[in-house]
Amino acid sequence: MTLEGTHGLWGDLHVPNATPDQTDFTVIGIPFDGLASARKGAALAPERIRFWSRHVTPFSEDRTRLADLTICDAGDIPITHPARDFERVAHYVANLPAGIPILLGGDHSVTIPIFQGQRQRFANQRLGLLWVDAHPDLCDDFDGSRLSHACVLRRGLEFGIDQQDVCLVGLRSWEEQEIDLIENGHMHVYTARDVSELGMKSVAADVRRIFSRCDAVHVSLDIDCLDPSVAPGTGIPEFGGLTSRDVLTLIQALQGLPLVGLDVVEVAPPLDPSEATVFAALKIIMEFIAVVARSKK
Ligand SMILES: [Mn+2]
């Protein structure tokens, strides 16, 4: 193993000098953690995930060959002034061509403009949202900010994502201002304890059924959905989380659905010297790519 990597960028899937209209996926890093409420570090995730992407193989765990698919790694969109620069992210996402964006946070606030962009990109279509997270991020305002990483899904609903087309999986932590929407709203909620008691196969089958009526499905995955014993490198680790197998089962169950995007957020490399959290994110991304590869066959 050399320091440069055993493979090229993204396990050899990256095509140098390609543009997003020429590839199956577009990778975009958003290295920003200015709206994380507790521990920071997620701004360093895109660089570390890309670095280790040279050490993953172009196969999924079930030996799906990924080499037929292509990635354009479009680099990073820097955020210095969120109110202004989030507009750039939303505009970029809204105007992407047909391929599937894979967005690397950053704290979860970067998903606010991603939702905005996806809502515009699939205007007049039924856009489903799979939210995999320890937290629902449904606060209207947090620490004086409406762009906080605790307000992400609330903003997404305001952009016009229908509550009935939202599935939340892995939840286990709540703020007072979120309780009413969780208990009296119309979203589909599967807590981490539900997953433990029902089994992820059963939960994933529900999720598939709910999204089967959607025209497009975006996946937003906060790495803190995982139990901190397997992914400690995140701002707010929450005890009692999903297993790594749970998350893979959920991702793999998405096969055949009209997937239109993935964001992976809240990976904070400085908080996990083992970098297992970075590798968890990479595995999730590569298995997501494999789902698309199998759907194309
Ligand atoms: Mn979270």
Side-chain angles (χ1 to χ4, degrees):
M1 189 181 88
T2 64
L3 197 62
E4 293 75 39
T6 47
H7 291 277
L9 195 60
W10 300 105
D12 292 325
L13 273 63
H14 172 63
V15 182
N17 305 316
T19 51
D21 57 306
Q22 297 167 328
T23 58
D24 298 291
F25 300 92
T26 302
V27 170
I28 305 128
I30 311 175
F32 174 71
D33 57 16
L35 287 162
S37 56
R39 305 182 302 167
K40 303 202 189 294
L44 295 169
E47 188 266 328
R48 294 314 291 166
I49 294 172
R50 283 194 180 97
F51 176 84
W52 287 116
S53 82
R54 295 176 182 275
H55 295 260
V56 298
T57 72
F59 282 92
S60 68
E61 63 172 14
D62 75 346
R63 296 186 299 283
T64 299
R65 188 183 302 275
L66 308 182
D68 297 339
L69 294 177
T70 53
I71 290 176
C72 164
D73 191 328
D76 290 340
I77 301 179
I79 308 288
T80 48
H81 298 94
R84 179 195 69 200
D85 297 336
F86 279 8
E87 290 292 326
R88 292 177 52 219
V89 175
H91 186 260
Y92 187 91
V93 171
N95 291 289
L96 278 170
I100 298 176
I102 297 174
L103 301 117
L104 314 172
D107 71 55
H108 216 154
S109 71
V110 305
T111 304
I112 293 174
I114 294 169
F115 286 164
Q116 192 176 12
Q118 291 283 51
R119 184 63 284 182
Q120 289 173 33
R121 193 168 164 235
F122 297 97
N124 307 315
Q125 295 186 58
R126 196 157 177 181
L127 175 62
L129 169 62
L130 175 58
W131 177 272
V132 193
D133 196 330
H135 314 94
D137 295 358
L138 284 166
C139 293
D140 186 40
D141 180 292
F142 197 81
D143 263 356
S145 173
R146 287 167 56 82
L147 297 178
S148 163
H149 73 157
C151 304
V152 184
L153 184 51
R154 175 73 71 131
R155 298 289 89 79
L157 298 176
E158 290 167 359
F159 295 140
I161 299 174
D162 195 320
Q163 286 193 38
Q164 295 175 59
D165 297 329
V166 179
C167 290
L168 302 96
V169 181
L171 303 187
R172 55 194 186 277
S173 172
W174 322 95
E175 292 285 346
E176 177 66 37
Q177 46 177 324
E178 301 175 317
I179 302 294
D180 184 51
L181 254 177
I182 288 290
E183 294 187 352
N184 303 312
H186 300 284
M187 293 175 286
H188 306 272
V189 177
Y190 302 91
T191 65
R193 195 170 74 177
D194 291 337
V195 172
S196 175
E197 290 176 359
L198 300 169
M200 185 58 100
K201 277 206 162 156
S202 163
V203 169
D206 276 9
V207 167
R208 270 190 69 87
R209 194 172 55 249
I210 291 158
F211 288 139
S212 63
R213 55 193 185 214
C214 292
D215 305 308
V217 177
H218 180 90
V219 181
S220 183
L221 187 138
D222 183 328
I223 206 72
D224 72 24
C225 66
L226 283 161
D227 191 77
S229 59
V230 294
T234 192
I236 307 176
E238 294 283 353
F239 202 67
L242 304 179
T243 68
S244 47
R245 184 52 51 190
D246 286 336
V247 171
L248 292 176
T249 298
L250 179 61
I251 297 293
Q252 289 160 358
L254 303 177
Q255 190 173 333
L257 294 173
L259 299 171
V260 298
L262 167 71
D263 63 80
V264 178
V265 298
E266 299 285 354
V267 175
L271 302 177
D272 176 8
S274 80
E275 298 208 80
T277 310
V278 170
F279 279 88
L282 252 180
K283 188 68 164 184
I284 289 163
I285 292 166
M286 298 311 280
E287 290 295 326
F288 177 86
I289 289 171
V291 167
V292 176
R294 287 192 291 274
S295 297
K296 283 192 155 202
K297 276 184 181 159

